[in-house]
Amino acid sequence: MTSPLNGVRILVADDQVDVARTICGPLRKAGAKLRFAPDGNAALRDMTSWPFDLVVVDMKMPPDEWGGLWLLRQLNSCGWRVPVLVLSGEGSKQQVIESLRLGATDWIDKDSADTELLVRCEQILDDSLENSLDAASGCLPTPLALRFARYTRTTDPEKQVIEGLHALEAILRFAAQLGLSNPAPSLLSGIAAERLMQPSMGTWFALSVALARSSDPVPAFSDLFSWLAPERGDRQLVQDLVNLRNDIAHGRAMPDPSTHRRVDRLLRIFAHRAFAFWRFSVGVTTSMTFDGAKYGVEVLAFRGVGKPIPDLLQSDSPQVTGQVVLFASGVSPLSLEPWLIAQTTESSTRCFQFDGVRRGRSSLDASTPLKYAKVDDGEDVRDLDHPQGTWAAVMKWL
């Protein structure tokens, strides 16, 4: 039976790196991908560069006497919710209690780690992955949350595979749209204009790969795509599932138990990482005030599966009312238009996402309007217009 640690990324923070490597030998044999950090500062740097599914922390290490506690405080200040297993040595029981108060998931005595570490890590990952889909459905932007919710509500295995592939496509589409929102576009190699006129799941994946290779990509895009495919080798699984989606759509394949396991595992790992590290919100600006130093902007946030939620962001610069933005505390808002746009009526505010171009009898040119698809369960709306929603926005990348 495959260990739940197979393929997961574990960061081990311990100043005695050689000892840590020995202790963590069973984790590597179980298929975990390990990275070692000699102190809390190095661990924090690693976590800003790579997604990790679990962190194993020694209590007594730099930068302070109890560097494990220092690291936990930094994780809290960043708003990260990655599971942490604490290694406790002699005389650190009081610090263990403090670590649990700071959000550590569990702890073990370092002297018994050689027999207990594997079991505890497997249990922590099992529990996190079990709850990951529901957790992600509550915290992620609506375009993703709705697809995860539909996936979890589906009970028929074959239909769940189809819904899972829809959820994967939603991740790729949303990631690509974040990447395309970069205010400094760069030419994307290997992306033909024809593919963006009527984008498919494969198009969104190809776009995401090209954007990941571009210079200075949007950080939120880089985070999101890395949770799905942190290394180039991980992209092959995504490509295989894109091919499978096409084969199923054309009647060349049928979902089977093996496919179900692969799709479910990929979605749970992504959801686990997203719940641990996602800190942005997507919302439409509704009003703005200025206190002489900062702009206070009221927004309706598209978060989870329900109606938009009132929220507030602070900005150094004025924001256009009615535009869709990506925002987080301490980060300048990023306009997502024209890739994501909002429509407000007397009764509701809805979000729509780029889905190709509207073609009539005329040839394609810079003024050809973009086509949009709904992201919620509301009624379809045809022929939405947006001032920036023309082919000219796409041409900047080609």
Side-chain angles (χ1 to χ4, degrees), residues 73-397:
R73 292 189 184 100
Q74 301 309 307
L75 299 184
N76 281 338
S77 68
C78 292
W80 292 339
R81 295 173 286 202
V82 60
V84 176
L85 176 65
V86 167
L87 296 179
S88 165
E90 183 179 357
S92 62
K93 299 304 182 184
Q94 180 180 344
Q95 285 69 34
V96 167
I97 294 172
E98 178 66 9
S99 73
L100 296 175
R101 189 188 68 80
L102 289 170
T105 308
D106 201 356
W107 70 278
I108 58 174
D109 192 293
K110 198 169 185 178
D111 291 338
S112 59
D114 55 341
T115 58
E116 293 186 28
L117 184 61
L118 176 62
V119 174
R120 295 291 186 90
C121 287
E122 287 183 335
Q123 186 61 58
I124 290 172
L125 260 297
D126 253 346
D127 293 344
S128 294
L129 294 181
E130 177 69 25
N131 300 319
S132 62
L133 298 177
D134 288 335
S137 296
C139 73
L140 288 180
T142 301
L144 302 183
L146 275 173
R147 279 299 176 184
F148 275 104
R150 291 175 189 171
Y151 175 73
T152 57
R153 287 198 304 263
T154 304
T155 57
D156 179 87
E158 289 190 6
K159 292 181 180 178
Q160 194 175 47
V161 170
I162 303 299
E163 287 295 341
L165 293 173
H166 284 313
L168 176 58
E169 181 176 8
I171 296 169
L172 295 171
R173 180 200 294 259
F174 186 69
Q177 290 165 348
L178 291 184
L180 291 172
S181 299
N182 193 328
S186 59
L187 295 182
L188 298 178
S189 61
I191 304 297
E194 293 76 12
R195 297 189 70 179
L196 291 171
M197 292 164 58
Q198 191 173 355
S200 64
M201 183 178 182
T203 304
W204 300 124
F205 181 48
L207 261 178
S208 295
V209 171
L211 287 163
R213 294 170 178 164
S214 65
S215 59
D216 197 22
V218 173
F221 157 78
S222 299
D223 289 344
L224 198 74
F225 191 55
S226 74
W227 301 335
L228 188 67
E231 299 179 19
R232 289 189 177 183
D234 299 316
R235 296 175 186 174
Q236 186 57 53
L237 171 58
V238 180
Q239 183 61 64
D240 291 343
L241 293 177
V242 170
N243 296 339
L244 175 65
R245 162 77 181 275
N246 293 335
D247 288 343
I248 291 175
H250 292 92
R252 297 190 296 264
M254 290 290 291
D256 58 30
S258 175
T259 302
H260 183 272
R261 287 191 295 271
R262 284 191 297 161
V263 172
D264 188 73
R265 175 75 173 182
L266 182 64
L267 292 180
R268 288 184 183 276
I269 288 288
F270 173 86
H272 168 70
R273 293 168 179 168
F275 178 71
F277 293 106
W278 179 256
R279 62 192 182 100
F280 290 92
S281 293
V282 172
V284 56
T285 58
T286 58
S287 65
M288 181 173 58
T289 59
F290 183 58
D291 64 5
K294 292 275 189 180
Y295 292 90
V297 185
E298 293 184 355
V299 297
L300 285 175
F302 299 104
R303 187 185 307 126
V305 298
K307 295 180 179 180
I309 305 166
D311 207 338
L312 182 69
L313 68 88
Q314 299 290 322
S315 174
D316 293 325
S317 58
Q319 301 296 309
V320 178
T321 299
Q323 74 174 345
V324 179
V325 296
L326 183 77
F327 64 97
S329 177
V331 180
S332 297
L334 173 68
S335 173
L336 300 181
E337 296 181 342
W339 315 110
L340 288 162
I341 66 172
Q343 182 191 61
T344 299
T345 65
E346 291 183 358
S347 59
S348 66
T349 297
R350 299 178 62 194
C351 185
F352 298 84
Q353 54 191 345
F354 165 64
D355 195 39
V357 297
R358 297 203 324 249
R359 294 296 302 275
R361 295 183 179 180
S362 60
S363 59
L364 179 69
D365 59 33
S367 64
T368 301
L370 301 184
K371 181 174 63 175
Y372 292 93
K374 63 182 181 179
V375 303
D376 58 21
D377 290 323
E379 295 181 359
D380 289 319
V381 176
R382 296 181 60 82
D383 299 341
L384 284 170
D385 291 312
H386 187 275
Q388 302 172 40
T390 65
W391 186 248
V394 181
M395 292 171 59
K396 297 176 183 178
W397 292 92

Side-chain angles (χ1 to χ4, degrees), residues 27-45:
L27 305 184
R28 181 179 283 108
K29 290 180 181 179
K33 298 179 179 180
L34 304 179
R35 185 174 181 87
F36 295 88
D39 56 60
N41 282 307
L44 200 61
R45 287 195 299 271

